Amino acid sequence: MTREEFLQGLKEALDGNMDASAIQENLNYYNEYINEEVRKGKTEQQVVDTLGDSWAIAQTLLEADENGADGGAAAGSSYGTYMKEEEGRVFEIPWWKKALFILAVVLVIVVIISFVAGVIRILAPILIPLLIAMLIIRLIGGSGSQR
């Protein structure tokens, strides 16, 4: 479905059930949303597919309008609810953000390993002779106490 088909379907579903100014506000709102998403890099087809059926959106707008909201508020509130449901199912992270996250994790791991290796390098000349001395004392002391 194209942008024009989506907006025409929305207009037809709202026509006769909502005043003309509210219909135009809703059409402007969805048209601007599609423009904004296209500017962000999505194709018009992807945006329209994400929005879903214009008739379902129209029903939501009409229900919101019946509950006392004006046309513009109905567009904003019902649209927000609709998109939150859609966004809950589809969450796209750009490839460069994934790569940046992986790079950050690798960097943290390298820093931790470097820190541990540095501590071992500093303490090894002290700890190794100390451990050998403790082992010798234990072996000598242990055999003497068993007699």
Side-chain angles (χ1 to χ4, degrees):
M1 178 184 318
T2 66
R3 171 199 315 247
E4 290 75 25
E5 291 171 335
F6 173 81
L7 293 173
Q8 184 61 35
L10 185 61
K11 182 178 181 180
E12 289 172 4
L14 294 173
D15 199 30
N17 298 312
M18 187 180 280
D19 64 54
S21 65
I23 292 173
Q24 192 57 49
E25 273 186 56
N26 285 307
L27 292 175
N28 292 342
Y29 179 85
Y30 283 96
N31 189 43
E32 183 56 36
Y33 174 78
I34 294 169
N35 286 335
E36 182 66 29
E37 291 300 305
V38 168
R39 279 192 293 269
K40 290 179 183 176
K42 292 183 180 178
T43 66
E44 190 174 288
Q45 184 66 45
Q46 288 173 321
V47 178
V48 172
D49 288 345
T50 301
L51 287 171
D53 185 21
S54 56
W55 182 85
I57 293 174
Q59 295 308 308
T60 306
L61 293 171
L62 290 171
E63 288 172 13
D65 194 44
E66 287 174 5
N67 291 332
D70 65 89
S77 62
S78 63
Y79 174 75
T81 302
Y82 180 79
M83 285 308 295
K84 285 179 187 170
E85 292 171 4
E86 287 297 318
E87 289 171 1
R89 289 184 227 140
V90 179
F91 186 69
E92 297 177 10
I93 300 174
W95 68 268
W96 63 269
K97 286 186 179 179
K98 292 177 188 176
L100 191 60
F101 176 75
I102 292 169
L103 183 63
V105 169
V106 169
L107 184 62
V108 167
I109 291 171
V110 167
V111 167
I112 291 172
I113 290 172
S114 297
F115 177 77
V116 170
V119 169
I120 290 173
R121 190 175 303 152
I122 291 171
L123 295 179
I126 299 168
L127 290 179
I128 291 176
L130 186 60
L131 289 173
I132 291 173
M134 288 176 58
L135 181 63
I136 292 172
I137 291 171
R138 195 164 275 252
L139 288 173
I140 293 173
S143 63
S145 64
Q146 288 179 353
R147 292 183 184 180

